Amino acid sequence: MYSIKFAMPFQAFRDIFSLTDLFNTLEEMAKKGEDITNITNQILVIQGIDDIQALNQFAHQGADTAIRNFKLKFEGTTLFEFGDVKSIGKKFPYACVNYLDIEKVEQMSKGEKDYKGIPVIITIDNMGELTLEKLSHIEKKFDVVGVRIIEKDRETRKYAIEQRPISLEAYKQIRATIDNEIIDKLYVTEQSNKTVIDAQLAIQIFGLIVDKVKYESEVKSQQQLLSKESFSNLCANLSNITSLITGKTICGGYAEILRNVLSCVGIKSKTIIGETSNYGYHAWNQIKLGDTWFNADLTVARKQIAEGKLTGDLFMSDTAFFGDRRNFTFEKGQQRNGISMETTVAIGGHTKVHGNNSQKCESYLSPYLTATLLEKARPYDMEYKSYGKSTNYQGAIPYIGSSIEKMRSSPKGIPLSHITR
């Protein structure tokens, strides 16, 4: 009988022998008085049906041994298909199913079977996929302990921002914050088309995020004071969706917060990782209004948004967004309702994109129109409370409770050609 404590490394034994052999060897070692704690405290990845059958057998054996201390990690749905979940869960208190995709979870939740017994971490693309109502239904069938947010269309995890799992309690708090402090404050104009509605929702979300989450300007000064690992952890925490409740973030946090909040109102968005001439390594977004993609950098535009000023960092084409930081005049000689739309603002400064999940952006919304939307968004609530009950009211109505999907599909309202260039 091999003594894996002395004869060969744990992983080498694991690669060669079955899980049953591993358990039997460890039990023989324990009977001989050997300390197996340094082995059983490790993470043990369960690799297939044979492993699960070994767990089933071991879970129904009599006395507990130190083997129960293994941190079992399951991937996918194999455990639920072939394992005695409740028995394995009782035998191995540190077991967990890592990153079970939300689509699989929803599909399994439709059946009658109860999958409780081993904690589960759910993987989602964005928070729009997992409402609190849906999560409550899933919890009736699964022991959910956390949620991991990964943008699924990235070609590698290297370019993902949000990778650390969020505890169940934190996820519920963040989603409740989005629902109660952002979505409940949104308004849209009646009889508008999808593009206009999406633009109205996006511009209000910009303002609400900027009001709620501040940029942590001191983070760069910490780079020389902290170890590489500590500084990396600091940046990861500030780039996390949890910044929405801590109130402090950096560019990656702004990008992920915006992407996830937009997903909750049905607007597609991507987090783009790249570089700029001023910030160096940087993150921003691409946003789809109607059927058209635009570049948007909430980090760079945050001060102008807060002050209601013109900005060339929202709803921009690739031509305007990339290249040297420069001043550009939009809508030369153009007027709307007798007011000049001609505006000169700084654009560009984005120099490089990492990865290939970005979209081609060929149109822009003029800074004048963006600033107008920002200005109009501020009195929506007061206007609705004053005039919204009038039968002749044609203004903004609350997003929640309106027939928003019907309105989004309506061809009426301002056409895309009138607001983009």
Side-chain angles (χ1 to χ4, degrees):
M1 181 67 67
Y2 280 100
S3 171
I4 62 174
K5 182 176 180 182
F6 302 109
M8 63 174 62
F10 170 71
Q11 188 56 50
F13 189 100
R14 182 75 178 99
D15 290 340
I16 297 172
F17 296 97
S18 69
L19 193 60
T20 300
D21 290 332
L22 172 64
F23 287 165
N24 289 338
T25 300
L26 289 172
E27 288 190 320
E28 287 295 323
M29 291 171 61
K31 288 177 182 178
K32 294 176 180 179
E34 294 188 46
D35 183 6
I36 61 173
T37 304
N38 64 323
I39 300 173
T40 57
N41 282 343
Q42 297 187 53
I43 294 175
L44 184 59
V45 178
I46 304 305
Q47 298 173 336
I49 298 174
D50 290 343
D51 280 356
I52 291 175
Q53 290 175 342
L55 290 174
N56 287 337
Q57 181 180 358
F58 187 78
H60 291 95
Q61 292 179 1
D64 288 335
T65 68
I67 295 174
R68 73 193 305 272
N69 294 325
F70 269 121
K71 300 174 179 66
L72 302 184
K73 299 300 179 186
F74 299 87
E75 303 286 346
T77 61
T78 309
L79 168 68
F80 301 110
E81 295 170 6
F82 301 99
D84 184 343
V85 177
K86 289 179 171 54
S87 296
I88 295 174
K90 289 179 181 178
K91 197 74 170 185
F92 294 91
Y94 306 111
C96 184
V97 180
N98 275 2
Y99 316 142
L100 190 60
D101 188 83
I102 182 63
E103 293 180 0
K104 293 287 187 181
V105 173
E106 286 189 90
Q107 184 179 1
M108 294 166 67
S109 296
K110 294 177 181 178
E112 298 297 324
K113 189 175 179 180
D114 178 354
Y115 300 100
K116 286 179 174 289
I118 294 181
V120 171
I121 297 175
I122 298 173
T123 296
I124 61 176
D125 175 81
N126 57 70
M127 298 187 79
E129 290 187 331
L130 187 57
T131 65
L132 291 179
E133 182 180 4
K134 184 184 294 185
L135 180 56
S136 177
H137 176 71
I138 290 172
E139 284 188 278
K140 295 176 182 178
K141 300 292 183 70
F142 291 89
D143 287 328
V144 183
V145 294
V147 179
R148 191 188 195 200
I149 304 174
I150 290 289
E151 196 170 356
K152 294 176 183 176
D153 64 353
R154 293 185 181 277
E155 73 281 10
T156 70
R157 293 181 179 178
K158 178 181 178 181
Y159 301 118
I161 287 288
E162 185 65 82
Q163 293 210 30
R164 297 182 176 184
I166 308 166
S167 71
L168 181 65
E169 293 73 19
Y171 183 87
K172 289 180 177 180
Q173 184 180 0
I174 295 166
R175 183 63 211 240
T177 298
I178 293 174
D179 290 343
N180 300 329
E181 299 181 26
I182 296 181
I183 295 178
D184 277 359
K185 296 182 179 181
L186 300 178
Y187 288 80
V188 294
T189 302
E190 290 184 295
Q191 302 304 316
S192 295
N193 68 9
K194 185 179 189 303
T195 302
V196 174
I197 290 172
D198 287 351
Q200 289 177 330
L201 291 173
I203 204 73
Q204 292 171 81
I205 288 169
F206 289 158
L208 290 166
I209 291 175
V210 168
D211 288 345
K212 189 167 184 57
V213 186
K214 305 306 177 185
Y215 186 83
E216 181 53 270
S217 58
E218 300 298 320
V219 66
K220 287 188 177 181
S221 65
Q222 298 296 308
Q223 189 168 6
Q224 303 301 321
L225 303 175
L226 299 174
S227 67
K228 185 176 181 180
E229 182 180 358
S230 297
F231 182 72
S232 178
N233 286 333
L234 173 63
C235 291
N237 290 333
L238 288 170
S239 295
N240 198 289
I241 190 70
T242 54
S243 295
L244 193 59
I245 51 179
T246 64
K248 293 183 178 181
T249 196
I250 54 179
C251 61
Y254 272 133
E256 274 298 283
I257 290 170
L258 182 57
R259 185 178 77 85
N260 279 280
V261 174
L262 289 173
S263 74
C264 294
V265 296
I267 297 177
K268 290 185 178 180
S269 175
K270 294 175 176 290
T271 292
I272 306 299
I273 308 298
E275 297 176 23
T276 68
S277 54
N278 293 334
Y279 283 81
Y281 194 71
H282 192 53
W284 61 87
N285 294 93
Q286 288 185 330
I287 299 170
K288 190 176 185 182
L289 306 182
D291 297 321
T292 307
W293 284 94
F294 301 89
N295 294 292
D297 193 328
L298 193 58
T299 304
V300 179
R302 68 187 189 280
K303 291 182 180 179
Q304 286 78 11
I305 292 172
E307 296 171 3
K309 295 182 179 179
L310 297 168
T311 174
D313 296 296
L314 300 176
F315 306 132
M316 287 290 103
S317 65
D318 290 338
T319 302
F321 204 66
F322 291 93
D324 295 333
R325 189 75 172 172
R326 62 204 183 278
N327 288 329
F328 182 83
T329 301
F330 291 82
E331 314 305 322
K332 289 184 179 181
Q334 297 296 315
Q335 291 190 349
R336 177 165 292 175
N337 298 325
I339 300 175
S340 173
M341 294 177 61
E342 186 172 313
T343 53
T344 301
V345 295
I347 60 173
H350 300 78
T351 58
K352 187 177 182 180
V353 172
H354 298 296
N356 59 12
N357 74 315
S358 59
Q359 297 286 329
K360 191 174 183 180
C361 302
E362 299 179 309
S363 300
Y364 66 79
L365 299 188
S366 73
Y368 171 85
L369 180 60
T370 300
T372 301
L373 288 170
L374 271 168
E375 182 181 2
K376 286 185 175 181
R378 301 185 190 284
Y380 277 165
D381 186 59
M382 184 180 300
E383 178 183 330
Y384 179 76
K385 288 178 180 177
S386 299
Y387 308 107
K389 295 182 179 180
S390 168
T391 55
N392 297 321
Y393 180 69
Q394 296 293 320
I397 59 175
Y399 171 75
I400 297 298
S402 64
S403 300
I404 193 68
E405 293 306 322
K406 182 178 179 181
M407 292 168 63
R408 274 201 167 115
S409 63
S410 171
K412 297 181 180 179
I414 304 172
L416 179 64
S417 60
H418 283 197
I419 63 173
T420 65
R421 297 290 187 275

